[in-house]
Amino acid sequence: MSKYIAVDCGKYETKVAVCDDSERSYREFKFRTKMDQGRFDDDMLGRGTYIAEIDGGKVVRIGADATIETEKVTSKSDEMHRSATLLAIALAIGKPGKEDVTVAIGVPYTICADVEARNKYKEYMLPDGAEHTVKVKRTAAEEPYTVSFKVIKRYVYPESIGAMYEFPEKFMEVAGIIDIGNVNRGGTYINTRSIAQNYSFTDEHGGQDLVSSLADKLTVEMGARCTVDLVAKVLTKPYEKRYLVNKTGDKTLEEKSRKVIDAHLKEYASGVKKLCDTRTWPLDFMELVAIGGTAQLLRRELTEVFGQSIYIPENPEKINARGFLARICADNNIDLESIKNDKNKKKPDSKTA
């Protein structure tokens, strides 16, 4: 076995981290978790969109150009998450042929803590002993190729815990992980590297709710329609440009939109802190790490609400995949850091998945 693959299949994006021990290579990639019907003769595939036939099933389109989003439920035991996970493994392998792989996937803690539910999820996503075949087309110009793989070792970890494996030095005593994804937001309480379930929490008010409610508020306050797509784009901008640009150039309206956005995001971050307070987190005396794609959007507000000591890493949406990979490599005596260092000495690879 040489390939170790971690897949964090979220409801917004599927994040992947891959280590090849024999080639001493490491890479990461991600794609949107959306799916609809596909065709291999599609010659207008957009960036980050793939055509796939998985285990002889129907041909699907997965990624940015697909039109059907994942359902807003905590469970991930559905066809879209399974298809995206198997496609991610095929893309991680990256070439035709057969291969044995070691794979780690994530699942909400409420499911992972239940042995029966966890094993059922593992068997649904990656059936024991099964050989999978994925025919995939990665670009409009590329011919499809077929990869077959068998998952020799399967690991399932609770979502958020990737932060502990990625930053072990922050979890030697009492610490907390705040994970704000597209659908869910949660807090995982860690006591000496073990999850304390009674102090942990999760709900379904993630980034999707944040953006949707902000779009509604801006529509009312500005007296003009503000769509979710528009607001989501604005929130990705640097703080000094985080406002609605009015076509008339009215600076008063721009400043008004800035104030509405600032107040709404501050209120949301304060709501996350209230959840921690409800679970009696000793916030003044514990390490805090914030991860998840929405944590990046809220970097300013989370720091304001929780204080400068909260740690929000770069690319926080990738932390679970990175951490899961670090754990399975350690469990299999693979020196991941050495491989990463080798990669950093080489010229960066600009190729996509």
Side-chain angles (χ1 to χ4, degrees):
M1 284 186 301
S2 60
K3 275 195 171 58
Y4 297 84
I5 304 168
V7 182
D8 177 18
C9 187
K11 295 184 182 300
Y12 183 75
E13 289 179 322
T14 297
K15 287 79 64 177
V16 189
V18 190
C19 168
D20 190 313
D21 182 41
S22 63
E23 296 180 0
R24 294 192 62 76
S25 65
Y26 172 85
R27 67 187 180 108
E28 301 172 355
F29 62 91
K30 61 183 181 178
F31 55 87
R32 284 282 273 117
T33 312
K34 297 197 294 182
M35 185 172 76
D36 58 16
Q37 185 175 346
R39 295 175 52 143
F40 281 111
D41 61 355
D42 188 345
D43 59 358
M44 292 183 63
L45 280 182
R47 182 179 176 86
T49 306
Y50 309 95
I51 305 298
E53 181 185 82
I54 299 169
D55 291 339
K58 61 184 179 182
V59 178
V60 295
R61 181 172 60 168
I62 298 177
D65 290 348
T67 57
I68 301 175
E69 303 268 1
T70 58
E71 293 185 8
K72 189 180 176 182
V73 293
T74 300
S75 172
K76 294 183 177 180
S77 296
D78 58 52
E79 181 183 358
M80 191 179 302
H81 282 97
R82 185 174 185 274
S83 296
T85 297
L86 294 175
L87 171 64
I89 297 170
L91 292 173
I93 294 170
K95 59 185 178 183
K98 292 186 177 183
E99 222 170 310
D100 292 342
V101 294
T102 296
V103 177
I105 57 177
V107 67
Y109 178 72
T110 52
I111 295 175
C112 202
D114 183 320
V115 176
E116 183 177 352
R118 181 174 70 244
N119 288 337
K120 184 177 180 181
Y121 178 79
K122 184 193 298 185
E123 193 62 22
Y124 173 76
M125 298 295 286
L126 302 170
D128 187 26
E131 183 173 293
H132 300 281
T133 300
V134 179
K135 181 180 179 181
V136 59
K137 181 177 180 178
R138 299 182 296 184
T139 68
E142 182 184 67
E143 289 298 315
Y145 67 88
T146 300
V147 55
S148 296
F149 59 88
K150 187 174 183 179
V151 181
I152 302 301
K153 291 184 179 180
R154 312 171 294 167
Y155 298 82
V156 177
Y157 299 123
E159 291 172 350
S160 303
I161 208 68
M164 187 174 74
Y165 303 141
E166 182 70 358
F167 310 111
E169 70 281 0
K170 294 185 176 295
F171 295 89
M172 303 310 294
E173 297 185 3
V174 174
I177 304 167
I178 294 171
D179 188 349
I180 312 175
N182 189 48
V183 170
N184 297 326
R185 63 180 178 180
T188 304
Y189 188 98
I190 306 293
N191 182 3
T192 320
R193 299 182 60 80
S194 295
I195 296 175
Q197 184 174 359
N198 291 341
Y199 294 99
S200 300
F201 61 86
T202 186
D203 69 23
E204 294 180 351
H205 296 289
Q208 189 177 41
D209 272 4
L210 169 65
V211 175
S212 177
S213 58
L214 178 55
D216 290 343
K217 184 171 288 187
L218 283 166
T219 295
V220 172
E221 296 291 333
M222 304 300 292
R225 185 179 300 111
C226 298
T227 64
V228 168
D229 289 343
L230 173 66
V231 173
K233 187 60 97 174
V234 169
L235 293 184
T236 63
K237 295 180 178 181
Y239 177 73
E240 60 273 12
K241 296 182 179 180
R242 201 177 67 180
Y243 54 81
L244 295 175
V245 178
N246 187 276
K247 288 190 296 184
T248 66
D250 189 331
K251 299 300 181 182
T252 302
L253 290 177
E254 291 179 357
E255 184 59 27
K256 182 178 181 179
S257 71
R258 182 201 295 275
K259 289 181 178 178
V260 172
I261 293 169
D262 287 355
H264 193 79
L265 268 58
K266 175 72 174 294
E267 181 181 7
Y268 183 91
S270 297
V272 175
K273 184 176 182 293
K274 286 180 182 178
L275 290 171
C276 297
D277 289 335
T278 299
R279 291 290 183 171
T280 66
W281 285 25
L283 294 172
D284 293 331
F285 307 101
M286 66 192 300
E287 292 272 10
L288 281 179
V289 178
I291 63 173
T294 305
Q296 177 64 31
L297 302 180
L298 293 166
R299 183 179 290 272
R300 179 186 179 91
E301 288 71 27
L302 289 171
T303 301
E304 185 177 349
V305 168
F306 286 96
Q308 293 293 328
S309 62
I310 188 170
Y311 178 61
I312 308 172
E314 293 300 315
N315 301 309
E317 76 283 0
K318 295 181 178 180
I319 298 304
N320 272 322
R322 290 176 181 172
F324 294 166
L325 184 66
R327 174 62 186 268
I328 62 174
C329 284
D331 285 353
N332 288 276
N333 299 313
I334 303 299
D335 189 347
L336 179 60
E337 287 306 311
S338 173
I339 292 172
K340 283 184 176 182
N341 288 336
D342 284 353
K343 178 183 182 298
N344 291 335
K345 293 175 184 176
K346 300 175 183 177
K347 185 178 179 180
D349 185 356
S350 62
K351 294 181 180 178
T352 63

